[in-house]
Amino acid sequence: MITPSHKVWIFVASDPVDFRKGHDGLAALVQSHLRQKPFDGSVYVFRAKRADRLKLIYWDGSGLVMAYKRLEDNSFKWSHCPAVVCKANDERGRSRTE
């Protein structure tokens, strides 16, 4: 089982992305649009235009890990952050924006 540490930063891209992108394409978006480093151990969350799909990427120390989730009958509840990226990593689990 692969699990991030308990002090991991989670960055959520507020706008939908092209879901044809794979590991490298999403890592490039982390650098260019989110202005973060994709190999720092943080988790980066992206959504499709339809809110029924998510992709997550993170560096586990030996390579980029990508997870994909598709809901069959529902969609994810998605509130729009006013900034390009939302950070969810406060001690009480509250989300913050940059």
Side-chain angles (χ1 to χ4, degrees):
M1 174 158 63
I2 301 171
T3 58
S5 72
H6 67 285
K7 293 186 182 212
V8 67
W9 285 100
I10 300 171
F11 293 90
V12 181
S14 59
D15 294 326
V17 300
D18 179 357
F19 252 42
R20 295 173 291 183
K21 293 188 183 298
H23 296 78
D24 296 330
L26 293 175
L29 284 177
V30 169
Q31 291 177 321
S32 65
H33 287 78
L34 304 182
R35 296 186 183 359
Q36 300 294 322
K37 298 177 182 171
F39 308 110
D40 66 357
S42 298
V43 176
Y44 299 94
V45 181
F46 301 92
R47 73 174 178 107
K49 192 171 188 176
R50 296 184 329 197
D52 65 340
R53 291 174 267 169
L54 293 178
K55 281 187 179 178
L56 292 82
I57 64 166
Y58 73 94
W59 179 259
D60 72 352
S62 65
L64 266 178
V65 176
M66 183 170 66
Y68 180 93
K69 175 70 175 185
R70 183 184 71 203
L71 296 178
E72 292 297 325
D73 297 324
N74 290 311
S75 61
F76 292 101
K77 304 261 186 270
W78 204 269
S79 60
H80 185 76
C81 296
V84 173
V85 62
C86 298
K87 262 199 289 196
N89 189 28
D90 145 306
E91 290 176 6
R92 293 170 293 282
R94 290 187 227 153
S95 66
R96 301 181 298 206
T97 59
E98 280 192 341

